[in-house]
Amino acid sequence: VLDSLVRLICTYDDSWEYEAKVVVEGGLGSIIKRKLGREFGTNEMRNIRHLDLTSAALTPTGSPGKMYTLPEGLGLFKNLSKLVLRGNYLLSLPPDLGDLAPTLTHLNLARNKLGTIPPCVEVLTELEELILHSNELRSLSGLPHAKKLRTLIVSSNKIKGLPPGIARLDNLRTLVLSDNSISYIPQEICRLRSLHFLHLDGNRVKRLPQHFSSLKSLKRLLIDNNLLSDDSIVKLRQ
């Protein structure tokens, strides 16, 4: 990604937006050019609230490239609340992403190549939304201890089960698990009393937990294309 031309979309100081094309040389900390023609310095990075690097790894010809990791420098965006790294073929994330823990509330890592949830994500305790669909995840080990998390989207991965620790996300409203390889739903999911939307379609679920009906706040359940028995389906309708 070094010396690559990338597209940067930011919301600056929550008051105005701009688009800039910047050159990355040695890391995100050395952004040297932007649309307004002035240098993009460290002080300005501290005032950025939203950073969108969707499909950021572009070749000099403008055709989509592949980014396997990000250079160091994300930690310089001290007040960042929303970060989008969608569609970059990322295999890992830089450790300094964890430095954003005090302010980061929305993180979109969809359409990458992550095989596990990186350690730097686990420490993001202020997250309210975490999007990880279309990666290579085989488990949800390493979910952040984020009590404020309201939306978790992990569809289209290779996840085989849910960790019991999912119950600690007791403010979760939306849980999207579609198109994985999940065969077992732990009883702990019934403790998610704030859950409104649960998408389990396209998995291998054979039965639901005994106290599934205790999810009184549930407004939408998608569970087609599983291995549920007719009896289980009848009970759901009741």
Side-chain angles (χ1 to χ4, degrees), residues 151-167:
T151 300
L152 176 60
I153 301 177
V154 291
S155 50
S156 300
N157 278 280
K158 300 177 180 179
I159 299 167
K160 296 183 178 180
L162 301 180
I166 192 93

Side-chain angles (χ1 to χ4, degrees), residues 124-164:
L124 300 176
T125 55
E126 297 299 310
L127 280 183
E128 297 175 14
E129 178 183 75
L130 177 58
I131 302 176
L132 279 159
H133 76 75
S134 305
N135 274 275
E136 304 288 336
L137 298 178
R138 295 184 178 276
S139 78
L140 291 178
S141 297
L143 275 177
H145 298 270
K147 297 291 288 183
K148 298 177 183 178
L149 193 67
R150 294 163 61 94
T151 300
L152 176 60
I153 301 177
V154 291
S155 50
S156 300
N157 278 280
K158 300 177 180 179
I159 299 167
K160 296 183 178 180
L162 301 180

Side-chain angles (χ1 to χ4, degrees), residues 22 37 48 57 99 102-103 112 119 122-123 138-139 159 191 230:
V22 299
I48 295 286
D99 295 344
T103 60
N112 283 293
E122 188 173 357
V123 301
R138 295 184 178 276
S139 78
I159 299 167
R191 292 163 58 187
D230 291 341

